[in-house]
Amino acid sequence: MARTIDQIRASRLPSNMMQFAARGALQVPPAENIEILVYLALHNKVFGELARMTLAGWDEKACLAAVSDPQTNREVLDYFISPDNVRPKLLPALLENPSVPEAQIVKLASSAMRDTVETILKSKRALSMPRVVNTLSSNPYLRKEEAAQLRSKPSDLVTQPSAPAPAPPAEASPAAQPSPAASVPEAVTAPTSPSEGDHTAAADGHDEAVTVYMKDHAADIAAESDKPFQPIGGVVELLGQDYFPVVDSAEISAPPEPAAPASSTAAEPAASKTAAKPPGEPKRENTLQKINRLDVKGRIQLALKGSKEERSILIRDGTKVVAFAVLEAPKLSDGEVEKFASQKNVLETVLRQITLKRRFMKNYIVIRNLCANPRTPLDLGLGLMKNLLIQDLKNISANKEVSETIRKLALKMYKQKLDEANKK
């Protein structure tokens, strides 16, 4: 007799049975139930959203047994190790499962958050894969001492994930009096603390924040050093046509010209003077023109030290290491983060990064905007929705822009909270 999953693949089940299948209500073995749900989630347009929602809350023990078994269907393993669906408690078993291909682990390592990075560093199988090690080395969440050990002795990370690695910090902070590597994370998490630097700009901590960020992300910066500014969603669409005024380059050099004496051969000297003008001369150019001529390092410095307008553009940078630098800016305000959390034209990894900052997640508006943002990864939205107030749950349940899974869960939680309020 054919298995139920084979009948579903052949479209032989009636619609009511397909709905039962998407809810995980069929009387089949647990492993086959998961296989059915994954198949529907990936390939069925009608019941796919319901299947994804069911999988998001599926029994953890059953999932763990499935992802630990080398005989489990490849599609199931690929689904659970996908960055959008990975669960922290299932990840160790997935990394050690010989049926999970190296390519999937490489993909996960390239966009892994800090907790995922820590799990990968503890996996002997993952650290035995050269491509995984190379990809993990450029992950922005990898600490400096871990990166040093990863380059030299990858196997040591399994037993010594937080070795001090004294040599790099000694070179990294020539102007600072503390010596251990512990001073580096403090500069990232509290970049507004003053620094005893060589020049006045270091007094507000901005230069120190730039230095620390550059060193912590050196590998990633080197890998993307030639990547130009390419905003997510397109610049004209984001900022509007009125944002890009036409600037006559001949008018830019107006101040120096009155000093030039009139003569019969004034035209050629004037042209040569403007051509040889020092690059430090101020120019009339809008923010986008300024950003467009910067390389990755220049954009990172601007993200950490620039203005609110500059941060609002750089957060949309398609280069991940630049967009992340905006979230580390000492001058970044809560209002800016609230706006970032609602934007559909930023990298998904930027939205994930916001949830890792305690300061940001203490702000209810940030949480609400993330839940209502269709760009937010499904697993993040489902996890944050429990924090929403009843009226916001109602609004999201009617929001056609977010996925059906989010809307249905919002409606379910709204009704539950409404019933609890009525009982009181």
Side-chain angles (χ1 to χ4, degrees):
M1 183 178 178
R3 294 193 308 159
T4 306
I5 180 63
D6 296 328
Q7 296 181 48
I8 291 176
R9 289 195 180 102
S11 302
R12 293 176 182 170
L13 288 186
S15 59
N16 64 326
M17 292 296 291
M18 291 290 286
Q19 188 169 19
F20 284 141
R23 295 182 183 277
L26 295 179
Q27 298 299 316
V28 295
E32 186 176 354
N33 233 336
I34 294 175
E35 188 176 348
I36 289 171
L37 288 169
V38 169
Y39 177 82
L40 293 176
L42 296 176
H43 304 293
N44 193 291
K45 295 181 179 180
V46 179
F47 300 103
E49 287 290 341
L50 180 57
R52 283 190 285 273
M53 187 173 171
T54 304
L55 276 170
W58 198 252
D59 179 63
E60 196 169 86
K61 290 183 178 179
C63 291
L64 185 60
V67 301
S68 303
D69 187 358
Q71 302 302 321
T72 297
N73 182 275
R74 167 73 179 276
E75 199 170 54
V76 173
L77 297 176
D78 288 350
Y79 181 88
F80 279 106
I81 202 170
S82 165
D84 292 335
N85 304 311
V86 66
R87 295 196 205 175
K89 294 187 178 179
L90 302 182
L91 185 54
L94 282 163
L95 293 174
E96 299 301 330
N97 191 329
S99 295
V100 175
E102 180 180 359
Q104 289 292 342
I105 303 178
V106 169
K107 181 180 177 181
L108 179 68
S110 65
S111 60
M113 299 293 104
R114 178 59 202 170
D115 55 344
T116 304
V117 168
E118 291 177 351
T119 305
I120 296 176
L121 290 175
K122 296 175 183 177
S123 170
K124 294 181 179 180
R125 178 172 179 260
L127 293 181
S128 68
M129 300 174 175
R131 287 176 58 201
V132 174
V133 173
N134 290 338
T135 303
L136 198 62
S137 298
S138 61
N139 188 293
Y141 295 99
L142 189 72
R143 291 176 181 152
K144 184 166 58 176
E145 59 269 24
E146 293 171 341
Q149 292 185 20
L150 200 59
R151 286 191 294 268
S152 57
K153 299 178 182 178
S155 59
D156 289 352
L157 285 170
V158 180
T159 55
Q160 303 176 21
S162 58
E171 299 173 357
S173 54
Q177 57 181 22
S179 58
S183 62
V184 174
E186 286 176 6
V188 177
T189 55
T192 55
S193 59
S195 163
E196 302 295 332
D198 299 332
H199 44 78
T200 55
D204 60 2
H206 292 183
D207 283 356
E208 184 181 355
V210 172
T211 301
V212 171
Y213 192 87
M214 291 289 192
K215 290 183 181 294
D216 287 348
H217 301 81
D220 211 16
I221 293 170
E224 300 184 324
S225 58
D226 298 329
K227 192 171 181 181
F229 174 64
Q230 294 178 337
I232 304 297
V235 177
V236 176
E237 175 190 342
L238 302 180
L239 304 180
Q241 293 283 358
D242 296 338
Y243 185 83
F244 308 103
V246 177
V247 180
D248 187 357
S249 59
E251 299 176 358
I252 293 177
S253 56
E257 289 192 7
S263 67
S264 58
T265 58
E268 289 185 1
S272 62
K273 285 179 182 179
T274 54
K277 184 185 291 186
E281 286 280 338
K283 292 185 178 182
R284 280 178 51 198
E285 57 182 4
N286 62 36
T287 306
L288 184 66
Q289 291 169 330
K290 177 181 178 181
I291 291 173
N292 271 332
R293 61 181 173 80
L294 296 175
D295 60 4
V296 168
K297 289 185 178 180
R299 300 203 301 274
I300 288 174
Q301 291 190 42
L302 194 63
L304 290 165
K305 300 168 63 176
S307 66
K308 178 179 178 180
E309 182 186 14
E310 290 160 346
R311 289 193 295 271
S312 70
I313 297 176
L314 289 171
I315 193 67
R316 303 161 180 148
D317 198 321
T319 305
K320 182 171 61 174
V321 72
V322 176
F324 283 179
V326 174
L327 300 179
E328 301 289 349
K331 292 182 180 179
L332 184 66
S333 66
D334 289 348
E336 291 176 77
V337 181
E338 292 169 8
K339 184 179 179 181
F340 298 161
S342 65
Q343 288 183 197
K344 306 168 192 174
N345 40 29
V346 296
L347 294 168
E348 289 186 6
T349 51
V350 170
L351 300 178
R352 286 188 180 275
Q353 171 73 351
I354 290 176
T355 63
L356 296 179
K357 304 281 186 181
R358 288 186 181 180
R359 167 195 159 194
F360 301 158
M361 298 314 292
K362 290 179 181 178
N363 187 330
Y364 176 77
I365 299 177
V366 172
I367 296 175
R368 183 190 65 192
N369 290 352
L370 284 171
C371 291
N373 188 347
R375 182 79 171 174
T376 302
L378 184 61
D379 59 322
L380 283 187
L382 294 173
L384 293 173
M385 208 173 305
K386 62 180 181 293
N387 302 304
L388 295 185
L389 299 176
I390 187 169
Q391 185 58 44
D392 291 322
L393 287 170
K394 181 180 180 182
N395 294 339
I396 291 178
S397 67
N399 185 351
K400 299 294 184 181
E401 292 188 346
V402 300
S403 70
E404 186 180 355
T405 303
I406 294 290
R407 292 203 307 272
K408 287 184 176 181
L409 183 60
L411 181 60
K412 179 180 178 181
M413 296 178 70
Y414 166 71
K415 290 179 178 179
Q416 289 176 348
K417 291 192 175 184
L418 188 63
D419 291 341
E420 291 174 4
N422 290 335
K423 289 178 182 178
K424 294 179 182 179

